[in-house]
Amino acid sequence: MLPSALLHGLDPDSGPAGRRLRRTARDWVVDTCCFLLAVFLFLATATVLLRQQHTPRGLAAVDVLLGALSCGAVWLRRRLPVGLAAAMVVVGFVSSTAGGAAMVALFTLAVHRPFRHVAWIGGADLALVPVYYWLRPDRDLPYAGSVVFAVLFAVSVIGWGMFVRSKRLLMLSLRERARRAETEARLRAEQAQRLAREAIAREMHDVLAHRLTLLSVHAGALEFRPDAPREEVARAAGVIRESAHEALQDLREIIGVLRADEAEDAAGERRRPTLAALDDLVAECREAGMKVTLEHRVADPAAVPASVGRTAYRIAQEALTNARKHAPGAEVTLHLTGAPGKGLTVTVTNPPPTNEPTPVPGSGQGLIGLTERATLTGGRLDHGTTADGGFEVRAWLPWDRPAPTG
């Protein structure tokens, strides 16, 4: 029960591409009504015309013939609205019985085409009205009354057609706006889902990579040195057991944070490590057999903002993990310095490996993720080989001065 043009605008997939739209049930009803209206006006005008004694019979016959053909042409109004309206301007000027079909064509033009077509064709039709009644005056109405009535009737038909067109355009605009809103909502949902996945992946990597690297390194050492002393094997097995236990604990904590609702977000935030936990990280690495030198020159680690401290902790953790994987046995130096207003600098340096690295699987995305973390906090991170063949990770993070109180 919608017009075919409007139905195609609301649902572009409703019709075959590249083919003319078929009439809907409503189109058939409206076209039939328009045809019957044109026929009714044709019959009424033809009856009056044939009764007039002063009109030549030949001219009246031609007028009636053109009017009948114009009524039949009404069925072409959807396919050729501009051509039909332009033709009816000429036909309506020479045939009084074609007036009804001319008004239907003008209405169709206003409904289906922009205003520029209506302005040219409708303007030409209105301009011919005074000339028409000058050549063929109406004996029942004065000249001025006939012109005013015809002009007002034509303007009303054009205005009605433009009103119908504006309603259709409004409906199409609202539908397009709704479709765009649905698309934007879907894109926002996909983006939120992607960001959530990235956050989960980053948190899983930060928390578990350190533990699992310990497992992999010590398990690889046991595999490649089956003849190691019993004490060394027992110590490696203890590290593996402890690292596996800590990894499970971290995994449970991450899952708990992900399952927590908004009311528990603050508690989850408190469980995340900050700069104050850096000493525990270094102690854990030393217990696992790493040689780590910590140069801590931050007077009050608790004064470091939580987000900056957490980023510094993750950078140090990832750098120590990489040093353990790629430079086993080398002494790693962790240098930490900073002050409010100057920023926080984290530097992790290791010399070339003294032993052959044990192959450890990795994604290769750790330093990329750390660079992104540092950038998000307003800092920067650089990494690369040193002059002696070692490796250095250096990060600077902003640490603003506290706002004065009072």
Side-chain angles (χ1 to χ4, degrees), residues 213 217 318 320-328 357-364:
T213 301
V217 169
E318 179 66 22
L320 291 174
T321 300
N322 290 338
R324 184 186 302 112
K325 289 193 296 186
H326 303 295
T358 302
V360 177
S363 63

Side-chain angles (χ1 to χ4, degrees), residues 51-90:
R51 289 178 179 176
Q52 292 177 354
Q53 300 298 327
H54 62 278
T55 303
R57 295 295 93 184
L59 180 61
V62 173
D63 194 317
V64 171
L65 177 62
L66 290 176
L69 294 176
S70 299
C71 291
V74 168
W75 290 102
L76 301 176
R77 70 189 193 93
R78 294 185 184 275
R79 186 182 302 182
L80 302 170
V82 178
L84 179 62
M88 292 310 300
V89 171
V90 179

